[in-house]
Amino acid sequence: MMNQVAPPPLSSLLVADFSRILAGPFATMTLGDLGAEIIKVEQPGGDDTRAWGPPFVANESAYFLGVNRNKRSIVLDLRDPDDLRVARTLAEHADVLVENFRPGTMARFGLDEPTVRQANPALVYCSISAFGPAAGRELTGYDLLIQALGGLMSITGPDPATPTKVGMALVDVLAGLFAAVGIVSALRERDRSGRGQHVEINLMSVLLSALANQSASYVLAEQISRAVGNGHPSIAPYDTYATEDGMIVLAVGNDKQFGKLCKVLGIAELAADDRFRTNELRVHNRASLRQALEQALADYPAGYWTMALTAAGVPAGAINNIAEAFTLAERLGLHPIRSTEDGDRRFGGQVASPINLSATPVTYRIRAPRLGEHSTDIRGWLAELEAGRTTARSTA
């Protein structure tokens, strides 16, 4: 008898997704991968990212397609009384509501957390903003601005004089992940108490938290970090280094690994040098350390050193482009690209979720929706729901 795969862990949940751009949609896609039914509410014209390209695939933005799978789309103009009534019906019967409008926007439509909670006490209501609901409530913020104001650009780049953003909207993605964690935590508490709560995420706080050791260095030691290129303020060698034909990354995290590195490079005596015996000493003498390492690395090409060092257990590798990164992940058996179960091949594969659950795996049910693709079905279901002829669970 074949083992039956259990349904995904969030398959009983209905999520009203009023979010757009990246942070909110990334959070709701994560919930959708875990089985939740996501109804994406879009204004006329759709989510802004539908127009963010190139590239476009089958006339759809790759940006939008990448963060909106496992969702159904309904177009609602919240300024229209009939559409607003539909939106309220959805909010009043959802398990989770996610929105990332500027603070105060949802209140103008009677869709704010206190108002909706009167009709839906069990609702987990998640608000994502740039700078929070207090003094920063009137400020608009995109990822680039947060990277600048939140200090990330000051520690990124070749030197302190060249502040540089991370190559993707990192803060938005992190905010989406923090939002998903907050939502799942609130749902766990709802299992105990029967009541929902308000989950508030703001990008500024997300970044300050995600700066991790850099934030801790300031808060605990009043040390303000600066950009050190590809290096690390507290670890050496942990950087890119020149070889005979190109660059290689060395990420040596302890003295044992440093000893192995020196042995493979044919400079074993370096590990006992009074300038480099400990990580602290290596950090203080990183310029001399670089000179010694690159002198040895110049004897052979990057590919040679990558193989030799990896075989010896030293963290080292090439600097891959994204295509090479996917090729490596596939070779490692990580299955980084998945197909959706709906059989729609126009949009190719989907980037795999990194969440692997042994008993209740994530699912890739449907590709990202076309604008308003499910409006008729969802409107009909919500009308029946409002009339009491069906339940909040019969959404499919």
Side-chain angles (χ1 to χ4, degrees), residues 16-337:
D17 182 6
F18 286 82
S19 70
R20 69 265 190 262
I21 315 294
L22 181 53
F26 196 92
T28 54
M29 182 178 72
T30 301
L31 300 177
D33 289 350
L34 293 168
E37 168 76 10
I38 314 295
I39 295 182
K40 183 177 179 67
V41 178
E42 298 189 70
Q43 62 185 353
D47 189 315
D48 289 356
T49 60
R50 287 186 180 274
W52 287 9
F56 293 93
V57 181
N59 297 318
E60 296 280 358
S61 160
Y63 196 122
F64 177 84
L65 295 173
V67 292
N68 284 288
R69 67 170 172 255
N70 287 332
K71 303 177 186 181
R72 297 193 295 152
S73 170
I74 180 173
V75 174
L76 295 176
D77 183 350
L78 300 183
R79 295 165 298 184
D80 178 90
D82 290 335
D83 280 6
L84 181 57
R85 180 179 177 181
V86 172
R88 286 177 176 164
T89 300
L90 174 62
E92 291 171 1
H93 291 85
D95 296 287
V96 177
L97 185 151
V98 179
E99 59 91 11
N100 60 353
F101 290 102
R102 185 180 297 180
T105 300
M106 292 292 273
R108 294 205 303 269
F109 300 109
L111 291 169
D112 54 304
E113 188 266 342
T115 301
V116 177
R117 185 163 307 288
Q118 294 179 23
N120 188 358
L123 178 68
V124 172
Y125 191 111
C126 179
S127 299
I128 303 173
S129 65
F131 299 102
R137 62 184 287 116
E138 297 301 324
L139 301 177
T140 301
Y142 284 87
D143 186 276
L144 174 61
L145 182 61
I146 305 298
Q147 288 197 33
L149 295 176
L152 181 56
M153 289 179 66
S154 75
I155 60 169
T156 308
D159 54 61
T162 316
T164 305
K165 77 176 184 69
V166 177
M168 44 75 68
L170 178 65
V171 186
D172 275 332
V173 171
L174 289 171
L177 292 174
F178 275 109
V181 172
I183 289 166
V184 171
S185 300
L187 289 168
R188 179 69 181 100
E189 167 57 25
R190 191 180 74 167
D191 289 341
R192 290 194 287 254
S193 68
R195 294 191 61 83
Q197 59 183 294
H198 193 184
V199 179
E200 192 276 320
I201 302 290
N202 69 81
L203 273 62
M204 187 70 174
S205 296
V206 162
L207 178 53
L208 294 178
S209 173
L211 287 174
N213 59 299
Q214 303 282 31
S215 288
S217 294
Y218 169 69
V219 172
L220 300 176
E222 297 187 351
Q223 177 178 316
I224 300 176
S225 300
R226 59 185 180 86
V228 291
N230 293 318
H232 193 289
S234 305
I235 310 173
Y238 197 97
D239 207 331
T240 51
Y241 298 87
T243 69
E244 182 184 63
D245 68 344
M247 304 298 289
I248 189 175
V249 164
L250 300 177
V252 176
N254 56 54
D255 296 340
K256 183 177 180 180
Q257 290 176 351
F258 182 64
K260 290 180 179 180
L261 168 67
C262 294
K263 183 176 180 181
V264 173
L265 296 185
I267 49 174
E269 68 280 2
L270 201 69
D273 190 304
D274 286 340
R275 297 171 297 170
F276 310 129
R277 285 184 298 100
T278 68
N279 176 71
E280 183 178 1
L281 290 169
R282 293 193 291 273
V283 169
H284 286 307
N285 296 287
R286 66 171 72 237
S288 299
L289 177 62
R290 173 179 290 279
Q291 183 178 9
L293 293 177
E294 291 191 331
Q295 184 175 349
L297 288 166
D299 290 341
Y300 294 99
Y304 169 85
W305 289 123
T306 296
M307 294 180 61
L309 291 168
T310 300
V314 178
I319 302 172
N320 288 337
N321 61 33
I322 293 176
E324 291 166 336
F326 271 88
T327 298
L328 173 60
E330 190 63 52
R331 189 166 72 245
L332 295 175
L334 301 180
H335 308 296
I337 301 175

